[in-house]
Amino acid sequence: MTSGAHAPHGDVSAALRFAVARFIGEAAAHAGTLEVRPLSGGHIHGSYVASAGGPPVMLQCVNEHVFPDLDAVAHNIALVTRALRSAAERDPRRERRRRLLVPVASDHDRLVERANDGTAWRAFQFIEDAHGVTATTRPSQAAEAARAFGHFFRDLADLDARGLRETIPHFHDTPRRLVALEAAITADSAHRAAGAANDITFARARHALGARLMGALHAGRLPLRATHNDAKIANVLFDDATGEALCVVDLDTVMPGLAAWDVGDLVRSMAGDRSEDDPRPVTIRWPLLDALLHGWIEAAGPALTAPERDSLVDGALVITFEQGVRFLTDHLEADRYYRTARAGQNLDRARAQFALLAALEAGEDRLRRLVSSA
Ligand code: GN1
Ligand code: MG
């Protein structure tokens, strides 16, 4: 993981010292050997690595604006990490160390502790000698990331997803996202609808696409799974020495869902040759996409049903579409959800997703052949 300056223990804030005391021990919080450093990379929570001679622990100050229901998040993480651990234990060939995210309970046996300043804290065993990757151009690395998510699917296939709670309700309900878009167009509170007329037309022409996955779910054709819901390479840890994917991280959005949502997000985030806010015409990186789909399907194994496998291409189309709709809605609503660094960035993000969708639609037959040959 990333490095930062080592803070001498006198510089540690009261809330962070409280977290050290609860999750590592009272003695550690005051030990001269206490070392704490911030971890960069995440945009949602504040993360630190702390140790006082013993094994390092990752401490996180949780963002309650994005995740107001911390009980639901902690419940899901406990359920999922337990299931991942027992899957690993059933497979004696697998080296387990550093391949599991392990939550650390506090000295009061709680997963979340609240400091005097009101901030909420949790902890995980820190995975050493590993790093994150924000983007890749290498098919082999894309396949490695996809395999990590395929293993996640396989290892959770026996978990009853109905036991999971919705940490962000209706997250991938695409028809509902389209209703929100229509409401934003009608309200036009920031007077931006006229400037996005072509984008709105593009979205309106695809209402039927938006309903594909939810329709199949409601018709009972696709099983409900435990899905990650933020499936991208940045949420995989890689071994420093071998470059191998170790495990999937960032379990806050794990919820009941469809396999196609996660595979769709992997395709959406890796298939194109442009960044997420670059609206110029995009080229699909077919060798990378091929490696990604083969990697995921192989790792997912026999738990993947035939209708689920057939739904993966729809996942790529629907999730790319949905992401464009979310960016467009946020643009029309004056950028309330996604942080922007410049005017028009959310509109550019929407256009980038719609450009990617158009390219995926043009290559749909090829995409279907890739999935059926995988
Ligand atoms: C958000 O912040 P980040 O990158 O983890 C969003 C995802 C989007 C992504 C698009 C909770 O994820 O759904 O795909 O932006 N997460 C949430 O960049 O809304
Ligand atoms: Mg995330």
Side-chain angles (χ1 to χ4, degrees), residues 98-139:
R98 301 191 306 140
R99 285 178 187 272
L100 285 174
L101 211 53
V102 182
V104 175
S106 72
D107 55 354
H108 295 88
D109 207 25
R110 286 193 284 254
L111 292 172
V112 179
E113 290 282 357
R114 204 169 281 285
N116 277 336
D117 66 354
T119 52
W121 293 80
R122 68 177 175 198
F124 294 93
Q125 290 175 8
F126 179 65
I127 297 180
E128 293 178 274
D129 308 314
H131 61 276
V133 168
T134 48
T136 190
T137 54
R138 284 163 39 207

Side-chain angles (χ1 to χ4, degrees), residues 328-358:
L328 180 56
T329 305
D330 201 36
H331 170 71
L332 297 175
E333 291 180 338
D335 315 308
R336 290 190 312 207
Y337 189 89
Y338 292 106
R339 215 177 307 146
T340 51
R342 57 177 172 83
Q345 194 173 9
N346 272 321
L347 183 58
D348 278 350
R349 288 172 176 152
R351 288 176 174 165
Q353 294 300 312
F354 290 164
L356 178 61
L357 174 57

Side-chain angles (χ1 to χ4, degrees), residues 223-246:
L224 209 53
R225 303 289 193 177
T227 47
H228 184 279
N229 297 315
D230 198 6
K232 57 183 177 190
I233 196 165
N235 282 331
V236 175
L237 279 186
F238 292 87
D239 187 290
D240 285 346
T242 64
E244 208 188 334
L246 291 170

Side-chain angles (χ1 to χ4, degrees), residues 134-156:
T134 48
T136 190
T137 54
R138 284 163 39 207
S140 59
Q141 199 173 35
E144 220 18 58
R147 268 195 290 276
F149 280 101
H151 287 146
F152 184 84
F153 170 88
R154 176 198 65 188
D155 289 347
L156 296 178

Side-chain angles (χ1 to χ4, degrees), residues 85-97:
R85 184 195 286 240
S86 63
E89 282 164 358
R90 283 197 301 272
D91 182 352
R93 289 163 309 173
R94 272 161 74 191
E95 190 242 78
R96 238 172 289 147
R97 205 180 68 85

